[in-house]
Amino acid sequence: MSVLPEERELTMPCLLVLVQMLQSCGTSSRGKESSLKDAVPHTRVDGEAMLYENYQVGKKIGEGSFGKVYEARHKETDIFWAIKSLNKDKASSMALKQVEREVTILKKVNHPHIINLKEVVESAKRMYLVMELCTGGELADVLTEKGHFTEEETKILMTRLCSAISYLHKHG
């Protein structure tokens, strides 16, 4: 019996912040189609009011050097999302370029093993990325807790990772 969570319940940092090696969060309305997706809204605002009008922001579920991730509920649809809140003043210019590159890539991709970006809300001081909520924790933590994966679990992980990487290469 596999101890791997269902699709998309685990996350990995960095490039692999993009690549969710496991499968769906169950909150996404998108299908499993591996094509380019429709335009992701990117709204520039003066303050944060618009974000709070649309989302009920809940508990903090992650934190980095210049940002935090919160669980949030879209008020109109009742769908739960993760909102990555980035403080642009605390980030270096190189880190901001990296975030902008991540956003550019996520706006273009639609694959079952790559996190879904729903929208971007940006002010002069902050950038908010509204993303698919993945609730199972990070893959590295599961591996540390478990000690090792079975051959079958490793096969599943590698197949999903290779599928995501192949898709990213195919779509530039």
Side-chain angles (χ1 to χ4, degrees), residues 65-153:
S65 56
F66 59 94
K68 297 176 183 173
V69 181
Y70 298 92
E71 182 178 285
R73 181 184 62 82
H74 189 269
K75 291 178 179 178
E76 190 175 308
T77 65
D78 274 340
I79 295 175
F80 284 85
W81 298 90
I83 297 182
K84 185 187 276 189
S85 171
L86 305 171
N87 185 332
K88 296 194 293 187
D89 291 339
K90 288 186 178 180
S92 68
S93 63
M94 185 174 219
L96 284 175
K97 285 180 184 176
Q98 192 173 16
V99 168
E100 289 169 4
R101 184 168 185 255
E102 177 184 344
V103 168
T104 299
I105 292 168
L106 288 174
K107 282 181 173 184
K108 295 177 183 176
V109 298
N110 182 25
H111 186 275
H113 305 303
I114 300 173
I115 196 101
N116 184 30
L117 178 66
K118 180 183 188 286
E119 70 177 303
V120 179
V121 178
E122 186 173 3
S123 70
K125 295 187 182 251
R126 294 199 164 275
M127 179 182 286
Y128 299 94
L129 308 180
V130 180
M131 308 169 86
E132 216 168 353
L133 177 63
C134 299
T135 58
E138 291 196 19
L139 180 60
D141 295 337
V142 172
L143 180 57
T144 299
E145 184 179 307
K146 185 174 170 15
H148 70 280
F149 290 131
T150 66
E151 185 176 338
E152 181 64 22
E153 291 166 336

Side-chain angles (χ1 to χ4, degrees), residues 10-112:
L10 298 175
T11 63
M12 291 183 65
C14 280
L15 152 71
L16 303 167
V17 138
L18 297 177
V19 180
Q20 298 301 310
M21 295 195 324
L22 300 168
Q23 304 165 348
S24 95
C25 295
T27 59
S28 175
S29 59
R30 69 184 174 136
K32 296 292 181 190
E33 189 67 29
S34 293
S35 62
L36 296 179
K37 65 182 174 185
D38 296 331
V40 173
H42 191 135
T43 309
R44 288 175 173 73
V45 295
D46 290 331
E48 301 170 351
M50 178 196 160
L51 185 76
Y52 293 101
E53 287 172 12
N54 294 324
Y55 295 93
Q56 180 181 1
V57 178
K59 67 180 179 177
K60 181 174 70 171
I61 56 176
E63 186 168 358
S65 56
F66 59 94
K68 297 176 183 173
V69 181
Y70 298 92
E71 182 178 285
R73 181 184 62 82
H74 189 269
K75 291 178 179 178
E76 190 175 308
T77 65
D78 274 340
I79 295 175
F80 284 85
W81 298 90
I83 297 182
K84 185 187 276 189
S85 171
L86 305 171
N87 185 332
K88 296 194 293 187
D89 291 339
K90 288 186 178 180
S92 68
S93 63
M94 185 174 219
L96 284 175
K97 285 180 184 176
Q98 192 173 16
V99 168
E100 289 169 4
R101 184 168 185 255
E102 177 184 344
V103 168
T104 299
I105 292 168
L106 288 174
K107 282 181 173 184
K108 295 177 183 176
V109 298
N110 182 25
H111 186 275

